[in-house]
């Protein structure tokens, strides 16, 4: 079966760095997405990785290891507005997104 | 950037009535649109995938006669919740995938519709 695993909840301090991990098992693989979702709102796109390695975009970076079925989202210089759920989603062989349950990130002052 | 709108943003209806939710891609053509449902503190659950001009493909456990989907054009898809019941109360989100070649198959999300059935 297809499966995405990510931690349910994480807590970090404002100004610090946090890494949210995601492991996936899918039938075929065409890339991995990270989305941010604030409570009561729709998800917004953060990143897309299809090749191994690290993609940096401002304070956010995303890493992929296809051989390990593993990705992480790295958030630097955390701000209170970064408190949200972070969704990992893998694109399978049919180009359908397989969603993780999301990681709720709580930022404390 | 690609923008997807949904209407209405919030709707309250009485049990037994039907509700229609519209999803529009404003500045791009969407060959495929997706309908999701999200209950509080849970992740997105894909309900169905619709391609323009053809019947929607429903996920297992989703009643196609209850959740009617029409993807009549490359910019509009509608979801009608028929004979709504309180357990249908949820956050419904649509997303659209661009038909542009070379696209990374990213889905662009609408802002969601909060449905409350009383």
């Amino acid at each position: 079966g297809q499966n995405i695993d990510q931690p349910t909840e994480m807590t970090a301090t404002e100004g610090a760095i946090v890494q949210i991990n995601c492991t996936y098992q899918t039938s075929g693989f065409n890339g991995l997405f990270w989305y941010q979702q604030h409570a009561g709102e729709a998800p917004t796109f953060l990143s897309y990785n299809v090749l191994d390695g690290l993609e940096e975009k401002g304070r956010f970076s995303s890493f992929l290891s296809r051989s390990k079925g593993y990705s992480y989202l790295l958030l630097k210089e955390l701000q209170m507005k970064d408190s949200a759920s972070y969704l990992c989603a893998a694109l399978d062989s049919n180009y359908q997104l397989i969603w993780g349950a999301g990681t709720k990130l709580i930022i404390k002052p | 950037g690609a923008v997807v709108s949904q209407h209405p943003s919030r709707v309250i209806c009485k049990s037994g009535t039907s509700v229609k939710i519209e999803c529009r891609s404003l500045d791009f053509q969407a060959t495929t649109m997706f309908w999701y449902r999200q209950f509080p503190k849970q992740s997105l659950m894909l309900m169905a995938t619709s391609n323009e001009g053809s019947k929607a493909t429903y996920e297992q456990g989703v009643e196609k006669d209850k959740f009617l989907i029409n993807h009549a054009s490359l910019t509009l898809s509608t979801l009608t919740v028929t004979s709504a019941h309180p357990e249908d109360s949820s956050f419904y989100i649509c997303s659209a995938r661009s038909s542009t070649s070379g696209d990374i198959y990213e889905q662009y999300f609408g802002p969601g519709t909060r449905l409350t059935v009383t």
Side-chain angles (χ1 to χ4, degrees):
Chain A
Q2 308 202 95
N3 192 49
I4 307 283
D5 283 319
Q6 54 181 130
T8 304
E9 187 173 297
M10 298 182 71
T11 302
T13 305
E14 190 177 14
I17 299 172
V18 70
Q19 177 175 312
I20 303 174
N21 296 323
C22 170
T23 57
Y24 63 89
Q25 290 178 307
T26 55
S27 54
F29 179 75
N30 282 297
L32 190 126
F33 291 87
W34 284 95
Y35 285 84
Q36 180 190 60
Q37 186 179 25
H38 285 100
E41 299 180 11
T44 55
F45 171 79
L46 287 179
S47 67
Y48 170 73
N49 294 66
V50 68
L51 300 176
D52 286 353
L54 186 68
E55 295 272 350
E56 296 185 72
K57 191 186 294 185
R59 294 189 298 115
F60 292 6
S61 302
S62 57
F63 171 84
L64 176 68
S65 169
R66 295 178 66 132
S67 61
K68 295 182 179 179
Y70 166 71
S71 173
Y72 67 72
L73 180 69
L74 189 71
L75 293 77
K76 302 177 183 177
E77 301 170 17
L78 286 169
Q79 302 175 9
M80 297 303 292
K81 67 178 182 180
D82 297 330
S83 293
S85 287
Y86 291 85
L87 307 175
C88 171
L91 205 57
D92 71 7
S93 57
N94 294 319
Y95 293 96
Q96 301 286 23
L97 277 175
I98 310 300
W99 293 89
T103 299
K104 182 179 180 181
L105 178 62
I106 300 169
I107 309 296
K108 295 184 175 180
Chain B
V3 179
V4 176
S5 70
Q6 262 184 261
H7 178 78
S9 57
R10 291 178 180 272
V11 58
I12 300 172
C13 69
K14 292 186 177 180
S15 186
T17 61
S18 296
V19 174
K20 179 185 281 188
I21 302 170
E22 291 188 352
C23 177
R24 293 181 184 273
S25 56
L26 299 185
D27 51 1
F28 67 100
Q29 292 187 327
T31 49
T32 305
M33 287 186 169
F34 304 87
W35 286 96
Y36 293 89
R37 180 167 54 182
Q38 187 175 36
F39 293 106
K41 299 184 180 181
Q42 295 186 23
S43 189
L44 299 172
M45 290 177 53
L46 180 64
M47 299 176 66
T49 302
S50 72
N51 293 296
E52 184 265 338
S54 61
K55 290 184 178 180
T57 301
Y58 290 81
E59 295 299 301
Q60 193 171 9
V62 178
E63 300 174 58
K64 61 181 181 181
D65 294 330
K66 180 173 180 63
F67 298 99
L68 302 179
I69 292 172
N70 184 11
H71 192 163
S73 75
L74 285 172
T75 60
L76 173 65
S77 177
T78 60
L79 167 68
T80 302
V81 183
T82 63
S83 186
H85 292 287
E87 57 264 32
D88 297 324
S89 298
S90 187
F91 191 45
Y92 291 85
I93 308 172
C94 75
S95 69
R97 193 161 71 194
S98 172
S99 58
T100 303
S101 62
D103 195 85
I104 61 172
Y105 295 97
E106 178 188 343
Q107 293 181 24
Y108 303 97
F109 285 89
T113 297
R114 176 75 59 190
L115 170 63
T116 303
V117 184
T118 61

